Amino acid sequence: MAAGRAAGRAAGRSTAGEPMRERILAAAVEVIRERGITAATTKEIARGAGVSEGSLYNHFANKTALFAAALGEVAATARTAMAALAGSAGEGTVEGNLTRLGAAMVAFYGELLPMIGPVLADPDLIAWLRADGPVRAQRRAAATTGRGVDPALAPGSPGGPPSGPPGGPAAGPVLGHAALIGYLEAEQRAGRLAEGAPLPSIAAAVLGGCQQHAFLIRLAGPEAVEAGARLPAGPEEFAAQLVRTVLAGHLPS
């Protein structure tokens, strides 16, 4: 049933003129969101995209490349939010900038958590990700074409460069944390954050709070979060409250 709902949504969102690769990626994101990355199948993805299962491999070298590209699509939300934050250093207010990031990250974690939940319980899969397994698998697939990697081709396609989040699924969260620290350092140099403020811990508190909110909403639902955890259910209101609390005592007086 879940796969059928995912397929219906993906097919309903596609248009006749939408490129097949984009239809496949949209269907992959929907199916992985519904089933988790370890239970999703290429058959379900093909059904959701309205294509034959074999045609997936005209656009993606293998299942690994397709799944990596789908995670890359979801991770684009976080990358865009982090890029916007980096560009806002010295502009607006630190609190406002972090609040916008926080709202975006709550939405991102809300999408990501159900997709990767099963991965966290599989130590072998985690080890494979830490060893850059997806990129290695995609490079091996490219090598079998006899042409090597052609950077002009779409990421993940047969013979194309590897697809997926920069740094790989395992390194991505660490890079995001580092990017947030970089923004905080820029604001500290500009005198907009107190000298001596624990920037890595501030970054962890903001991102960790956003992830916790997404987890609670996913598991318990908005009403229980408001009544039991006494937190706003809306991402923007929650992010504003979280950032005010985390920054308390760390802004110049």
Side-chain angles (χ1 to χ4, degrees), residues 33-34 110 113-115 212-222 225:
R33 184 186 292 125
E34 289 277 357
L113 288 175
M115 296 175 78
Q212 171 72 353
H213 187 271
F215 169 75
L216 291 174
I217 291 289
R218 175 77 181 178
L219 189 66
V225 168

Side-chain angles (χ1 to χ4, degrees), residues 5-99:
R5 291 196 301 271
R9 282 201 297 272
R13 196 175 52 241
S14 300
T15 63
E18 188 176 9
M20 186 180 293
R21 177 185 168 84
E22 293 179 14
R23 294 211 318 269
I24 292 169
L25 269 179
V29 169
E30 290 290 346
V31 171
I32 295 171
R33 184 186 292 125
E34 289 277 357
R35 306 270 290 167
I37 197 165
T38 58
T41 67
T42 52
K43 182 178 292 187
E44 292 169 324
I45 292 168
R47 188 184 307 124
V51 301
S52 69
E53 189 174 3
S55 68
L56 298 180
Y57 301 105
N58 294 327
H59 300 274
F60 296 93
N62 50 29
K63 182 179 177 180
T64 297
L66 172 56
F67 282 21
L71 288 177
E73 287 285 296
V74 174
T77 301
R79 292 199 303 274
T80 299
M82 284 292 179
L85 180 71
S88 69
E91 299 177 0
T93 66
V94 175
E95 185 175 325
N97 295 340
L98 289 177
T99 296

